Amino acid sequence: VVNRMLIFTADATAMYTNIPTDIALRIIGEYLQRYDFGNIPLSVIMDTLTLVMTNNVFNFGDTFWKQETGTAMGTPPAPPYATIFFAIKEEELHRKFPKISFYRRYLDDIFATWLPIPGTTANEDRIPWDAFNTNLNNFHGLNWKVNERTTSVEFLDLQILIQNNRFHTTLYEKLLNLHLYIPPSS
């Protein structure tokens, strides 16, 4: 199977700031109704999440600003909030696109494999690929930069490639990496 497999990555464009607050709170509230939170009522969770996501005040220089839309950057619930928001869309993607045999997302970065149907031409396989891209980018204003399917990709700090019917990984270092790290003694 690996010899026919292609890999691709995708990156959301400014995911946090492009999540529409009112829509996300409604969709997440509906989604969380599936789960039992024990002694904590869902209304308490949603009221708290609403309070945090609709009252984000930050300072820039000597001025203060209230964020009107998008996810409150730097607040602890922001990563799970954004993750749950797009996970709702991913449930649909997994059902509609079985050619994606492996799919993982870390916040706003996707790594996945695409398995063309045996005997299809590149043009025939392009149709479901284009449909996937359209569908991925059709969720409340989030935009994903999807890299073309290939046998070698950079994902986070890895280079992943398919060679001799196997996956191989090496560390990937971005060209602009300045190696500016916080020393352990700080």
Side-chain angles (χ1 to χ4, degrees):
V1 172
V2 176
N3 63 340
R4 294 184 293 117
M5 192 175 288
L6 298 170
I7 50 182
F8 68 94
T9 61
D11 183 31
T13 305
M15 181 183 216
Y16 281 21
T17 55
N18 284 313
I19 293 176
T21 306
D22 292 342
I23 293 170
L25 289 168
R26 179 180 51 79
I27 290 173
I28 290 171
E30 291 168 1
Y31 179 79
L32 293 179
Q33 289 177 11
R34 302 178 187 177
Y35 301 96
D36 179 17
F37 296 98
N39 295 333
I40 304 171
L42 178 58
S43 61
V44 171
I45 293 170
M46 290 310 302
D47 288 348
T48 305
L49 192 58
T50 300
L51 179 70
V52 171
M53 293 300 164
T54 59
N55 292 290
N56 185 40
V57 176
F58 61 94
N59 71 311
F60 179 75
D62 60 350
T63 60
F64 287 85
W65 302 80
K66 181 179 180 194
Q67 184 172 341
E68 295 293 327
T69 190
T71 304
M73 298 292 290
T75 188
Y81 172 83
T83 297
I84 292 169
F85 179 68
F86 199 70
I88 295 163
K89 175 65 172 181
E90 288 170 326
E91 287 183 350
E92 174 191 329
L93 290 173
H94 293 308
R95 284 191 309 273
K96 284 186 173 181
F97 299 97
K99 290 178 173 237
I100 298 174
S101 54
F102 180 85
Y103 177 101
R104 293 293 182 269
R105 177 172 56 89
Y106 179 72
L107 298 176
D108 64 347
D109 293 298
I110 294 171
F111 171 81
T113 61
W114 183 272
L115 188 59
I117 296 173
T120 59
T121 66
N123 284 339
E124 291 169 332
D125 193 54
R126 185 89 208 165
I127 295 168
W129 173 250
D130 289 344
F132 167 75
N133 279 279
T134 299
N135 201 294
L136 181 70
N137 281 293
N138 187 22
F139 190 66
H140 304 291
L142 289 183
N143 292 306
W144 292 85
K145 180 184 176 285
V146 182
N147 296 312
E148 193 57 51
R149 301 158 298 167
T150 183
T151 57
S152 177
V153 296
E154 289 83 34
F155 181 69
L156 303 175
D157 290 334
L158 291 175
Q159 180 173 16
I160 305 168
L161 65 117
I162 299 173
Q163 190 175 43
N164 299 324
N165 294 329
R166 297 184 63 161
F167 282 94
H168 299 270
T169 60
T170 59
L171 291 178
Y172 173 72
E173 189 173 302
K174 294 179 181 173
L175 292 174
L176 298 178
N177 186 350
L178 299 176
H179 301 283
L180 299 175
Y181 305 106
I182 299 173
S185 59
S186 69

